[in-house]
Each structure stands twice: as structure tokens, then as C-alpha cells.
Amino acid sequence: MLADVDGRETSNGAHGVVANGSSNGTHKASVNGSSQNGKEAAHISHASQSKYFGHDREEVTRLLIQALTDMGYQKAADSVSADSGYELESPTVAAFRTAVLDGAWGRAEELLAGATSSGVRQLGANGLVLAPGADRNIMRVWLRQQKFLELLERREIPRALVVLRNELTPLCSEQFQKINFLSSLLMCQSSADLMAKADWDGADGQSRQVLLSELSRCISPSVMLPEHRLAVLLEQVKENQINHCVFHTSADAPSLYSDHMCERSQFPSEVLMELDQHTGEVWQIRFSHDGTRMASCGMDQTVLIWRVPTFEVIHTLEAHQDGEVCNITWSPDDSMIITCGRDRYAKIWNTETGACIKTLERFWEPVSSCVWFHDSQSFITGSFDKDKSLCQWDLTGERVHIWARKHRTEDLALSPDERWLVAMDEQNRLHVYNVATREQEYEMEVKARPTSISISQDSRFLLVNRTDGEAQLIELATRDAVQRYRGHTGGEFTIRSAFGGANESFVISGSEDGFVCIWHKSSGILVEKLAAHQPRCNSVSWNPVDPCMFATCGDDSKIKMQVQSSRSPPPL
């Protein structure tokens, strides 16, 4: 485990491994592009004064050298360095990199403290230039921690104990949990046991490279470029172009060769099919994660499972005989679906056979919602029953955990990274829980009663639909409202909204007036407002693998499939 810059712990496993075993190159350099020799001094002086289309020439050149090195074009990188007179990093930084990758921990600490690449301590030197907010002592802890783990791996227990007592403990005097955890590793009986408990892949794995990546984030980019910096900048360019494409419907990444803009004609604004097999109001629709099936439910107490794109009914689940079906949720592997009923039952179904696998114990109030954990082995239900408002279950129907807080749960959302669990009650409040600790992190009151909630695929944003005709985008970590969406109408009934489209570029919502509204997520621009159902459009779902298809459902017992105008309906 590694301590983050602000003292938090982060995994030192084999994550973030760079191609070719190098992140910034290993050839010698001069700080900030100083000249290689006196013959080039005049050239460098001239180059440093010129700009490349308004950009700093040295920065652009160093980025190119790093990118060429990352891609394996070392001769080309050397040629650019020689022609320009700029190099990637100083000899001291290069020596520090080598020391970390070679496991020369004493040497790495000397360079961190201020020794030069020749080993001579510079008078008055303060060591490597760090990024704002970085702590040199925390970097020392990371180095000594790696040293400690490698000694344990080699079964040099006495030396490891000395490192723990004399080198780590003085720097971690207030981090009792860290010291206790490291002390517990002394009891590991084998290298495999150590690696498993420490979430660490050993000296011969990628742990040193991962350590170097963590350390590089603490060093000023003026002397040590962040890893793959040009690739990161290019990715930001693509994201910016997508964010400014109002009708973005392409699942492919934009080309760097030209500016990106999708045609309005490719936007899904035409009704492909109307499905009318339900005999009552349709309240909820959801595509499977692989986009090949769709499930729908509502007042007629049944759940229909449809094949996509033919939209033939492949299963009719006689789900709840004594009450309407108010919600449905596909398991992450799409092999199961959970139905939530007003009859106070939740049921698990096999989506291949249409058979009911398990009926959970009866609640005292209707079951409103459900979310799955990513392993498809357990799930959480939300209920109006305050004594069982939030419960975790396994596939056998055994209750794993019940949350102690008493509030009616009307909707539920789990972030894909399984950090956040958000429950919506009936009193304008959102309860945000930490999934790992199962404790409530905070409670948020919204202006009007919410009708549905959902979380974006990047786990950053919470979408809240409200009865006052406004949907709100909230950043979960900061609790800030970052965007608002207006144009639909609210009321006393449940109206659902969702993220959708390529790169989740859109927010889509039903409406009390029967329309479906689609906004550009980043800008909040209302892209389309389409007539959908009468009297109201209850729910919407965007196909997760087809950015040009979404579905709507309403009180008219119909489901409508929306696609781009150029698509032909499937053969009968």
C-alpha cells in the first residue's frame, strides 16, 4: 500500500503500467532544456525566444521527445533532442528514476534531498523541485515502504524490522494504522502471502514502476513531465470536441485530423416502432447492458422481455399477481432481472428461461427499487418500509445487511465504481452512503420533491429529476450542482430521467405533458423535445451499445423506439 500525497493510502499493485517499461525516457537531460554544449548555446537562446503557434517551444519539444520515447521511437526522440538542443529531463531526475527502478533506495533518497547525479551534495540545494502541495517526507515514506516490502519478500526479517523501527516509524508517528498494518506483514509466512495482504506484486513485478509513477506526480512537471503527457492532452482535445458536439451520436473516438461534428440527421428523433403488448400503463423500461434485450413493466402486473432489434417478446413474466410492478433491474451480466412490486415482494428471474429463481421475504410496504453489485452475486433493495428501507441480499434470498437509518426509499442508485449508494426519500432528501463502510456520508435536501435518481458511468455525477420540472446534475464528491435542465413538466407522479447517448453526452427525461426531452449534458441545451405519449411519458432508456436508439413508455400502454431517420424498421 502507498500513501497518497495528502496522506491517504493507495494501492501499490500492478496498475497503470506504462508501455515499454518507460514513462519519461532514461537518457540524460538538462534542466528546463538547457543546452547540451556551448556550440548550441546561440541556437537555444534563439529557440527559447520563439513560439510555436503561440505555444512555448521548449514545452512542445519536450512533449514530443516523451511521446516518441513512449511509442518506442528512441532514435527519433534522440534526433529531436539533438536538433532542438532540448532534453527531456535533468541528469539528476534521470538518476533518480534509475535509482528507483534499480531499487537503490539510499541513492534515491540522496537525490530527493539534493545530491547531484555525480553524487555531490550541492551547497544550499533543496533537492528535487516538487509540485505544489507535495510533501518530501511522504515521498520518503513511499521509498522506505518499498524497501521494507522488498526486504520482507527476500525474507530478510531482521533488516526489515530495522527499517520499520528506525526509518518508517519516525516519519509515520501519527499514522498508527499504517504502522500497525506494516507490522502485521512481518507475520507473513511466504512471499505470496505478503503480496496478497499488501496488494503488492513484488520487486520483480511492476511495483517499482508504480512507485515511480506515484513519485513523479509529486515532482514539478518543469523538471519531470507527467507520464504520457501528450497522450493525455490529446485525449482532452477529443473530450472537448465531444462536449461541444450538440448532436453527438458516434461511438467512435473523434479523429485528430479534423474537427469533430455529428450531423443532426443522425440523431434519434424518429419513431421506429410502437410496441403495444402491455395492457396497462407502462412505468419503467430498461435495456440490458449488452443492448440485445429490453425489459418493461407497469400496471398490468407483468414484465415483458423483448429481443433487440426485432422487438419480439421472448418472455412474459407473470411477476406480481397482487400488485403493479414499479421497477426492474438487470444484473450486470444480464443473466438475471429483479422485479420490484407494490405487492411488497421483490423477485429474482432467470432472463434466459423466464423462470423465477427466488422470491424475497415479504416487506411491510411496496418495494420501490433495486441495484446490483458488479459481481452479480448480491444486490440492494429500496423500500417504502422504513424498517427495511435499505437491505443487501445474496442470490439465495438471505439478508446480508440492513442499514440502520430509518427513511422511506423511493428510488436508489449505485455508482459503477461502487463507492456511492444514493437513496431518495419522500421528503425532498437524498441520502448518500459510503458503500465500503455502509455509513451515511452526507444528506442533501433538494428544492422540490425528487422523482428519480441515476449516476453517470464515470461515477462522478448524480442526476436528480424533480416534480417542479427541473432536472439537476450534482457532482457527488463536491455536492455542487453543475448543470440544470429545464423544458419538461413535473407533477405528483414518478417521471424518470437518465443519461444516454455516445459517451453519455445527453440527459433524457419523460414529462407530465407526454413529451420526451433531451438535453446536451455539458451545456444544458435542450436538443430535442418530441411528442411521445398521452397523457404522460413515464420513463426513458437509452440503448447502452447503440447511441442512435432510445425507448420511451407512457400511460397510453405503449413503448416507442426512437432512432435516426435513416434507419429502416426490422422485417416482420
Side-chain angles (χ1 to χ4, degrees):
M1 304 288 290
L2 280 177
D4 204 351
V5 174
D6 59 2
R8 295 173 294 176
E9 290 189 340
T10 182
S11 171
N12 188 22
H15 306 297
V17 180
V18 297
N20 304 322
S22 173
S23 58
N24 287 330
T26 58
H27 55 284
K28 292 185 178 179
S30 299
V31 177
N32 298 331
S34 59
S35 61
Q36 296 171 325
N37 53 59
K39 293 173 62 178
E40 296 174 347
H43 167 68
I44 297 303
S45 176
H46 172 74
S48 63
Q49 295 174 6
S50 62
K51 296 285 186 178
Y52 175 72
F53 292 94
H55 301 287
D56 185 282
R57 183 175 292 269
E58 178 189 340
E59 291 184 358
V60 173
T61 304
R62 292 178 67 206
L63 290 173
L64 288 173
I65 294 170
Q66 184 195 51
L68 289 169
T69 302
D70 284 349
M71 291 187 289
Y73 304 138
Q74 191 61 58
K75 288 183 179 179
D78 292 340
S79 177
V80 171
S81 180
D83 288 347
S84 66
Y86 297 124
E87 292 194 343
L88 189 56
E89 57 195 18
S90 71
T92 298
V93 171
F96 179 73
R97 175 191 304 285
T98 300
V100 173
L101 295 178
D102 290 348
W105 308 118
R107 179 75 179 125
E109 285 207 39
E110 289 175 358
L111 292 164
L112 178 62
T116 66
S117 58
S118 61
V120 179
R121 171 78 183 188
Q122 289 182 327
L123 186 62
N126 294 317
L128 292 173
V129 181
L130 302 189
D135 188 325
R136 208 174 300 271
N137 278 336
I138 288 178
M139 297 172 72
R140 290 190 180 98
V141 169
W142 295 349
L143 290 167
R144 294 175 185 183
Q145 185 171 266
Q146 180 76 13
K147 176 182 176 181
F148 170 75
L149 292 172
E150 291 191 12
L151 288 171
L152 286 182
E153 183 184 19
R154 298 198 299 267
R155 309 305 296 160
E156 297 182 33
I157 307 300
R159 288 187 62 195
L161 186 57
V162 170
V163 171
L164 180 63
R165 288 177 174 173
N166 300 340
E167 298 182 26
L168 279 165
T169 301
L171 290 176
C172 304
S173 57
E174 297 182 0
Q175 299 181 43
F176 303 111
Q177 287 185 333
K178 174 183 278 294
I179 294 301
N180 288 339
F181 172 72
L182 293 176
S183 299
S184 70
L185 298 179
L186 291 165
M187 306 303 293
C188 292
Q189 299 300 307
S190 65
S191 296
D193 187 25
L194 170 69
M195 292 179 191
K197 290 183 177 179
D199 189 21
W200 180 75
D201 68 350
D204 293 332
Q206 297 296 330
S207 62
R208 291 180 182 176
Q209 181 63 65
V210 173
L211 171 61
L212 181 63
S213 296
E214 296 289 339
L215 291 166
S216 69
R217 296 188 182 100
C218 300
I219 298 172
S220 172
S222 65
V223 296
M224 189 175 190
L225 289 183
E227 290 182 316
H228 318 301
R229 183 58 184 163
L230 183 58
V232 171
L233 292 173
L234 294 176
E235 187 62 30
Q236 291 174 359
V237 169
K238 290 182 177 181
E239 290 177 1
N240 184 64
Q241 295 214 11
I242 289 173
N243 288 338
H244 285 82
C245 178
V246 176
F247 297 101
H248 183 64
T249 52
S250 174
D252 298 328
S255 171
L256 294 171
Y257 290 144
S258 60
D259 292 341
H260 173 77
M261 188 61 65
C262 291
E263 297 292 334
R264 182 167 189 160
S265 61
Q266 293 301 306
F267 196 78
S269 57
E270 299 289 333
V271 176
L272 175 71
M273 296 181 70
E274 288 190 7
L275 312 176
D276 57 4
Q277 280 84 336
H278 278 284
T279 59
E281 297 176 2
V282 187
W283 291 346
Q284 176 67 295
I285 44 173
R286 289 188 189 269
F287 283 99
S288 60
H289 296 88
D290 64 6
T292 64
R293 289 171 291 175
M294 182 181 71
S296 57
C297 67
M299 188 176 281
D300 63 6
Q301 304 179 6
T302 64
V303 173
L304 302 183
I305 298 180
W306 313 75
R307 192 183 308 281
V308 178
T310 60
F311 297 103
E312 59 181 307
V313 175
I314 53 178
H315 293 298
T316 299
L317 311 182
E318 302 294 338
H320 299 263
Q321 300 298 317
D322 299 321
E324 300 92 341
V325 186
C326 53
N327 217 331
I328 44 179
T329 308
W330 292 86
S331 63
D333 63 4
D334 292 330
S335 67
M336 292 169 284
I337 199 168
I338 290 178
T339 59
C340 304
R342 290 186 178 274
D343 61 356
R344 296 176 280 170
Y345 282 111
K347 298 184 178 185
I348 312 172
W349 303 78
N350 184 312
T351 59
E352 296 299 326
T353 65
C356 183
I357 300 172
K358 191 69 183 179
T359 300
L360 302 186
E361 62 186 58
R362 197 174 194 184
F363 292 72
W364 288 106
E365 297 286 348
V367 186
S368 64
S369 48
C370 178
V371 291
W372 285 87
F373 284 97
H374 65 80
D375 61 0
S376 297
Q377 296 301 304
S378 65
F379 53 90
I380 299 171
T381 55
S383 172
F384 295 174
D385 181 349
K386 291 186 178 181
D387 290 328
K388 291 190 289 188
S389 173
L390 291 174
C391 295
Q392 182 178 347
W393 312 80
D394 63 21
L395 295 182
T396 67
E398 291 295 318
R399 193 164 57 203
V400 176
H401 180 73
I402 183 168
W403 274 256
R405 295 186 67 87
K406 306 290 185 182
H407 58 74
R408 172 178 169 134
T409 298
E410 296 200 342
D411 202 8
L412 201 56
L414 177 67
S415 62
D417 64 2
E418 295 188 357
R419 178 184 176 186
W420 309 100
L421 175 68
V422 184
M424 180 186 90
D425 71 15
E426 83 286 7
Q427 297 181 345
N428 299 16
R429 290 194 300 263
L430 303 173
H431 304 265
V432 182
Y433 293 90
N434 181 305
V435 174
T437 65
R438 292 172 172 156
E439 297 295 328
Q440 180 171 293
E441 289 214 354
Y442 62 88
E443 185 178 295
M444 178 181 294
E445 187 165 350
V446 293
K447 181 180 178 181
R449 186 175 70 84
T451 64
S452 74
I453 53 176
S454 54
I455 297 178
S456 59
Q457 282 299 308
D458 61 9
S459 301
R460 289 184 58 196
F461 300 108
L462 175 71
L463 179 63
V464 184
N465 209 18
R466 305 189 324 208
T467 55
D468 61 354
E470 179 177 289
Q472 198 171 41
L473 191 66
I474 298 170
E475 188 165 4
L476 283 164
T478 65
R479 315 179 196 184
D480 294 331
V482 296
Q483 193 55 265
R484 301 175 190 275
Y485 310 99
R486 299 181 178 93
H488 60 314
T489 58
E492 294 304 312
F493 296 96
T494 297
I495 300 294
R496 300 188 184 276
S497 59
F499 298 97
N503 305 95
E504 283 196 338
S505 297
F506 302 102
V507 165
I508 184 171
S509 179
S511 181
E512 282 278 348
D513 59 9
F515 283 81
V516 57
C517 293
I518 307 167
W519 299 268
H520 189 252
K521 184 178 74 175
S522 297
S523 66
I525 294 173
L526 181 62
V527 177
E528 290 281 10
K529 186 172 184 178
L530 307 170
H533 302 274
Q534 288 298 327
R536 66 181 56 85
C537 177
N538 294 316
S539 185
V540 290
S541 182
W542 212 302
N543 192 317
V545 299
D546 186 345
C548 295
M549 175 187 289
F550 65 84
T552 66
C553 65
D555 284 1
D556 54 8
S557 306
K558 294 180 181 180
I559 299 169
K560 294 186 179 182
M561 308 308 304
Q562 301 271 163
V563 297
Q564 72 270 45
S565 58
S566 59
R567 188 179 303 195
S568 300
L572 298 177

